[in-house]
Amino acid sequence: MPELPEVETVLRGLKPRVSGRRIAAVEVLNPFVITGQPDAFVTGLCGCSIASLRRKGKALAIELECNSAESRCYLLVRLGMTGQVTVTSQDVPLQPHTHVRILLEGGKEEVRYRDVRRFGRLRCCTPEEIEAVWTQLGPDAPEISESQFLKAMHGRQGAVKGWLLNQQILSGLGNVYADEALFEARIHPLAQPGRLPIDAARRLHRAVKKVLKRAVAMQGTSFRDYIDIEGRPGNFSSKLRVYQRTGEPCRRCGRSIQRVVISGRSSHFCPRCQPRPRHVSSSPARRARKSEKAANLSGRRQVFKQR
Ligand SMILES: [Zn+2]
């Protein structure tokens, strides 16, 4: 799934190719990927000029100047799991699963949206709507300050891996970079954010920024279908240290990388570099029993209080 570095790579690729250009026509081949009415989407975009591009977390917004009413609107792009945005000549044959074509005036080029699994969405938004989308997202991961990060961790239970994936807390991280950041910070994915020692929490804050910065510099990671706007894969895959390396030796200590499922998602970690904290049970069955016991206890306490 494209995460912050991949979306940032798309933005950086698009910027010089589309900025200032007018949208001559829009063709929706599959309305499934459009949020709202496809007709309104087409009329909303046609004739507008591309003014600027913005990103927050994994969301990309293309700001459009609509010359008729001197108003502005935004094309919000969410790549979902397999969304691809490319800029190509109009003569290039369409690939299967291409759902939207945005024809640019002059130069015979177009922006294409392709998405095999169709979890991505395109939406034409008013400035108010885009602000509402932005406020639902937590601070952009590379921008969050240490004090904001530590404050957001305070008192949080559950696995730190799940906490990193919560876009309302911190926007931009997905499964790949959350695993990589935890390895970098030497933190077990099941550790509880609220129980991490302060130095570990600070390490994690630095690790998130470091891993994202490195991945952006290498144009992201290609899993499944991610490509940049020219159709090239990202270069970070070879730099991954834990993600999808189950059973392979840790690049730091040689121990086999392990996998654990946390809220339905695979998490990869090194059991030596990322030791299990004492508050985390070793076996999934024991963890489940412990949380069940805790739930029963709190239930009993409530009954007792009611009496
Ligand atoms: Zn290791």
Side-chain angles (χ1 to χ4, degrees):
M1 178 172 178
E3 302 177 26
L4 187 150
E6 291 75 39
V7 179
E8 179 65 24
T9 304
V10 168
L11 183 151
R12 291 182 183 187
L14 275 177
K15 214 170 194 173
R17 298 284 295 273
V18 303
S19 291
R21 295 182 75 176
R22 201 174 146 267
I23 295 173
V26 177
E27 190 183 354
V28 176
L29 302 158
N30 187 342
F32 189 85
V33 299
I34 307 294
T35 299
Q37 286 299 318
D39 290 349
F41 177 83
V42 172
T43 49
L45 262 54
C46 275
C48 297
S49 294
I50 297 170
S52 67
L53 290 97
R54 289 164 67 187
R55 180 194 58 71
K56 190 170 185 189
K58 307 173 202 173
L60 172 67
I62 301 173
E63 189 188 5
L64 303 165
E65 266 170 23
C66 319
N67 34 12
S68 55
E70 286 192 342
S71 60
R72 274 162 195 264
C73 68
Y74 291 85
L75 168 58
L76 177 67
V77 181
R78 290 182 183 270
L79 297 174
M81 286 183 83
T82 55
Q84 300 174 342
V85 175
T86 53
V87 180
T88 166
S89 162
Q90 289 170 20
D91 306 329
V92 173
L94 285 184
Q95 277 189 284
H97 310 289
T98 302
H99 306 310
V100 179
R101 302 171 70 188
I102 299 170
L103 281 70
L104 303 169
E105 201 174 64
K108 293 190 173 178
E109 277 187 326
E110 64 184 52
V111 177
R112 289 181 183 171
Y113 182 73
R114 182 173 180 262
D115 192 346
V116 174
R117 297 193 64 185
R118 295 184 307 177
F119 285 111
R121 290 292 177 270
L122 269 60
R123 178 184 169 194
C124 183
C125 295
T126 63
E128 293 76 29
E129 285 168 336
I130 206 82
E131 284 313 315
V133 171
W134 255 222
T135 44
Q136 278 169 14
L137 296 169
D140 196 43
E143 305 293 326
I144 193 166
S145 69
E146 189 185 87
S147 60
Q148 274 179 306
F149 192 85
L150 298 179
K151 201 177 161 195
M153 273 189 152
H154 186 75
R156 287 277 178 163
Q157 296 180 332
V160 65
K161 171 67 185 286
W163 182 84
L164 284 172
L165 297 180
N166 185 339
Q167 302 298 300
Q168 290 174 335
I169 294 171
L170 184 69
S171 63
L173 287 180
N175 223 17
V176 180
Y177 300 110
D179 281 3
E180 293 297 311
L182 287 168
F183 176 81
E184 177 72 34
R186 300 177 183 241
I187 294 170
H188 193 281
L190 282 165
Q192 289 184 15
R195 294 174 82 161
L196 281 177
I198 186 79
D199 56 332
R202 286 195 172 122
R203 257 192 341 261
L204 183 58
H205 174 250
R206 286 196 300 272
V208 164
K209 294 192 172 205
K210 188 176 168 186
V211 164
L212 291 174
K213 195 176 169 189
R214 224 187 273 158
V216 167
M218 300 195 76
Q219 293 88 38
T221 309
S222 283
F223 276 106
R224 294 200 178 91
D225 296 298
Y226 167 73
I227 50 169
D228 72 4
I229 69 137
E230 312 287 352
R232 296 170 301 211
N235 300 312
F236 196 70
S237 313
S238 60
K239 302 289 173 197
L240 294 172
R241 296 197 283 177
V242 283
Y243 186 74
Q244 288 200 350
R245 293 191 66 240
T246 312
E248 289 178 47
C250 169
R251 298 192 206 275
R252 201 188 267 150
C253 75
R255 190 82 174 260
S256 282
I257 300 299
Q258 289 187 4
R259 190 182 79 106
V260 62
V261 176
I262 301 170
S263 356
R265 313 280 304 269
S266 286
S267 290
H268 311 80
F269 67 102
C270 169
R272 186 178 287 159
C273 296
Q274 297 164 267
R276 181 173 53 84
R278 263 190 238 123
H279 64 262
V280 175
S281 301
S282 54
S283 81
R286 212 178 294 163
R287 278 202 301 277
R289 274 203 303 276
K290 200 177 165 188
S291 63
E292 201 178 309
K293 207 173 159 188
N296 283 341
L297 265 175
S298 65
R300 243 181 266 155
R301 253 181 237 136
Q302 271 173 4
V303 171
F304 181 73
K305 268 183 209 162
Q306 277 169 8
R307 281 177 191 164

Short mmCIF file of all heavy atoms in Angstrom, two decimals, residues 299-307:
data_model
loop_
_atom_site.label_atom_id
_atom_site.label_comp_id
_atom_site.label_asym_id
_atom_site.label_seq_id
_atom_site.Cartn_x
_atom_site.Cartn_y
_atom_site.Cartn_z
N GLY A 299 -15.15 -5.90 34.42
CA GLY A 299 -16.60 -6.11 34.40
C GLY A 299 -17.12 -6.36 35.79
O GLY A 299 -18.10 -5.77 36.23
N ARG A 300 -16.37 -7.27 36.54
CA ARG A 300 -16.78 -7.61 37.90
C ARG A 300 -16.75 -6.37 38.80
O ARG A 300 -17.62 -6.15 39.61
CB ARG A 300 -15.83 -8.68 38.46
CG ARG A 300 -16.58 -9.96 38.77
CD ARG A 300 -15.62 -10.99 39.34
NE ARG A 300 -15.09 -11.86 38.31
CZ ARG A 300 -13.93 -12.49 38.39
NH1 ARG A 300 -13.14 -12.31 39.43
NH2 ARG A 300 -13.53 -13.27 37.42
N ARG A 301 -15.69 -5.56 38.59
CA ARG A 301 -15.56 -4.35 39.40
C ARG A 301 -16.77 -3.44 39.19
O ARG A 301 -17.30 -2.88 40.13
CB ARG A 301 -14.29 -3.61 39.00
CG ARG A 301 -13.23 -3.74 40.07
CD ARG A 301 -11.99 -2.99 39.68
NE ARG A 301 -10.86 -3.87 39.65
CZ ARG A 301 -9.94 -3.90 38.71
NH1 ARG A 301 -10.03 -3.11 37.68
NH2 ARG A 301 -8.93 -4.73 38.77
N GLN A 302 -17.20 -3.35 37.92
CA GLN A 302 -18.34 -2.49 37.62
C GLN A 302 -19.60 -2.98 38.33
O GLN A 302 -20.34 -2.20 38.90
CB GLN A 302 -18.57 -2.47 36.12
CG GLN A 302 -17.78 -1.37 35.44
CD GLN A 302 -17.86 -1.43 33.94
OE1 GLN A 302 -18.58 -2.25 33.39
NE2 GLN A 302 -17.09 -0.61 33.30
N VAL A 303 -19.78 -4.35 38.30
CA VAL A 303 -20.96 -4.94 38.95
C VAL A 303 -20.92 -4.60 40.44
O VAL A 303 -21.89 -4.18 41.03
CB VAL A 303 -20.98 -6.48 38.72
CG1 VAL A 303 -22.06 -7.13 39.58
CG2 VAL A 303 -21.22 -6.78 37.26
N PHE A 304 -19.72 -4.77 41.02
CA PHE A 304 -19.53 -4.50 42.42
C PHE A 304 -19.90 -3.05 42.76
O PHE A 304 -20.62 -2.79 43.71
CB PHE A 304 -18.07 -4.79 42.78
CG PHE A 304 -17.77 -4.56 44.23
CD1 PHE A 304 -18.24 -5.46 45.20
CD2 PHE A 304 -17.03 -3.47 44.64
CE1 PHE A 304 -17.96 -5.25 46.54
CE2 PHE A 304 -16.76 -3.27 45.98
CZ PHE A 304 -17.23 -4.16 46.95
N LYS A 305 -19.45 -2.14 41.87
CA LYS A 305 -19.73 -0.72 42.10
C LYS A 305 -21.22 -0.43 42.05
O LYS A 305 -21.75 0.32 42.85
CB LYS A 305 -19.02 0.13 41.03
CG LYS A 305 -17.65 0.60 41.45
CD LYS A 305 -17.09 1.48 40.37
CE LYS A 305 -15.58 1.41 40.34
NZ LYS A 305 -15.04 1.90 39.08
N GLN A 306 -21.90 -1.12 41.08
CA GLN A 306 -23.34 -0.87 40.92
C GLN A 306 -24.11 -1.26 42.17
O GLN A 306 -25.04 -0.61 42.56
CB GLN A 306 -23.86 -1.66 39.72
CG GLN A 306 -23.62 -0.95 38.40
CD GLN A 306 -23.87 -1.83 37.20
OE1 GLN A 306 -24.37 -2.94 37.35
NE2 GLN A 306 -23.51 -1.34 36.04
N ARG A 307 -23.66 -2.40 42.78
CA ARG A 307 -24.33 -2.83 44.01
C ARG A 307 -24.12 -1.78 45.10
O ARG A 307 -24.93 -1.52 45.91
CB ARG A 307 -23.74 -4.16 44.47
CG ARG A 307 -24.30 -5.33 43.66
CD ARG A 307 -23.61 -6.61 44.12
NE ARG A 307 -23.93 -7.70 43.20
CZ ARG A 307 -23.24 -8.84 43.15
NH1 ARG A 307 -22.21 -9.00 43.96
NH2 ARG A 307 -23.57 -9.77 42.31
#
